[in-house]
Amino acid sequence: MKTNEASVTSLMTAFGRAYHTLYDTPKIFEDTIVKDLITDDEFSDISRNLINGVSFINKEIAAKFQHQPEEILKWFTQIQLAPTTLSRSAFCESVLLNELALGVEQYVILGAGFDTFGFRHPELNETLEIYEIDHPATQQFKKDRLAQANYQIPNNLHFISMDFTKGFDIQKLIDQGFSLNKKTFFSLLGVSYYLTKEEIATLLSELFSFVPYGSSIVMDYGDATLFEETGVYNRVQNMIQMAAFNGEPMKSCFTYKGLEKMLEDSGLLLYKHLTPATINERFFQNRSDYLSAFETIHFIHAVKKE
């Protein structure tokens, strides 16, 4: 993130979810709100840029579909942009809905970007307080888009501007009604890659020093092969290169044991772990399009121990 600039990654992630909801069948994760936060001009510009840019990442696909721009857009989005954001969102929200039945009363979305959970679940307005935390520029960009699309902010949705890589300020949440005594669910999606291991460890320790036992977190992370694996159509390397080009370089990856130790040091038990193979089996089975689980990307659910 650059000072006073909204995250390019958050906009591209939103595009991936919007495209999937509009055009893909069957749905892995349906987000009927996010398209309203992207202007028609932006959607067209992103689509055109992806179509025109395909030759830089795969000349064979560019040549094969040179007279089929819509197929190029489908390929680029389904191969590169959408798989991880769709599957991690589906996983996270399935865990959250289960945790609600187990007494969760607060949901903290770290690096919220264009997340729309609070708008898609009005039935939770009286039972779940939602706190979206993000870089000030990205958050203001989203708030402006919500206003332009005439969305009313639900009473249970709270926006908190914070660069949590520089320390987590719990007082900002408390000022918005956050309780240190209530069971809390955190999500950290699409964020860990851009932090150092030390920053992630510090953040987890800070988060879980505040909340009661049974509170938990869902996050995604890159495994130890992140910076070595190429992936189908070279997409892993493309992801790393595009992130760096957009000013958001990827910094960290973990072995399973390294991640488990970091969680344990923060008082967390690794409760559920989804490997790329497991993610593919759970979310991408029996598809006839290009969508498949991203190599090197894992999902976890970790719970604060007594």
Side-chain angles (χ1 to χ4, degrees), residues 176-226:
Q176 293 287 333
F178 184 85
S179 171
L180 301 180
N181 300 314
K182 292 181 178 179
K183 191 175 177 183
T184 303
F185 181 81
F186 297 92
S187 66
L188 186 72
L189 303 180
V191 175
S192 70
Y193 321 99
Y194 306 103
L195 306 179
T196 65
K197 291 181 179 181
E198 293 74 19
E199 288 171 336
I200 299 169
T202 298
L203 177 61
L204 291 176
S205 294
E206 290 176 334
L207 293 177
F208 285 93
S209 67
F210 302 132
V211 294
Y213 300 120
S215 296
S216 65
I217 187 169
V218 161
M219 63 178 280
D220 56 337
Y221 75 95
D223 65 27
T225 68
L226 178 64

Side-chain angles (χ1 to χ4, degrees), residues 1 7-14 17 81-92 107 109-115 133-135 138 164-165 186-196 200 203 217-222 226 239 243 248-252 254 297-300:
M1 279 298 305
S7 168
V8 174
T9 301
S10 66
L11 187 60
M12 297 305 291
T13 298
R17 295 204 310 272
L81 297 183
T84 300
T85 185
L86 297 175
S87 51
R88 74 187 176 204
S89 294
F91 173 64
C92 179
Y107 178 26
I109 310 173
L110 297 150
F114 281 59
D115 189 282
I133 300 178
D134 214 333
H135 189 279
T138 298
F164 49 79
T165 65
F186 297 92
S187 66
L188 186 72
L189 303 180
V191 175
S192 70
Y193 321 99
Y194 306 103
L195 306 179
T196 65
I200 299 169
L203 177 61
I217 187 169
V218 161
M219 63 178 280
D220 56 337
Y221 75 95
L226 178 64
M239 172 183 68
E248 300 171 86
M250 294 186 167
K251 300 176 181 177
S252 67
F254 292 88
I297 304 299
H298 302 235
F299 306 155
I300 63 162

Side-chain angles (χ1 to χ4, degrees), residues 82 116 157 174 208 217 225 229 232 261:
T116 62
L157 179 57
I174 294 172
F208 285 93
I217 187 169
T225 68
E229 173 71 48
V232 63
K261 183 179 188 308

Side-chain angles (χ1 to χ4, degrees), residues 105-112 128-134 139 155-160 168 172-179 182 184-187:
E105 298 179 73
Q106 301 176 140
Y107 178 26
V108 179
I109 310 173
L110 297 150
L128 181 68
E129 295 297 318
I130 304 169
Y131 300 86
E132 290 196 13
I133 300 178
D134 214 333
Q139 191 164 85
N155 292 332
N156 67 326
L157 179 57
H158 314 278
F159 292 104
I160 299 166
F168 191 84
K172 286 190 174 183
L173 275 78
I174 294 172
D175 291 344
Q176 293 287 333
F178 184 85
S179 171
K182 292 181 178 179
T184 303
F185 181 81
F186 297 92
S187 66

Side-chain angles (χ1 to χ4, degrees), residues 222-264:
D223 65 27
T225 68
L226 178 64
F227 297 104
E228 303 166 4
E229 173 71 48
T230 56
V232 63
Y233 294 112
N234 207 41
R235 63 178 174 179
V236 177
Q237 188 176 34
N238 290 336
M239 172 183 68
I240 293 169
Q241 291 175 345
M242 286 190 290
F245 179 79
N246 290 325
E248 300 171 86
M250 294 186 167
K251 300 176 181 177
S252 67
C253 59
F254 292 88
T255 64
Y256 179 84
K257 288 190 176 297
L259 180 79
E260 189 175 45
K261 183 179 188 308
M262 181 184 69
L263 294 170
E264 288 178 352

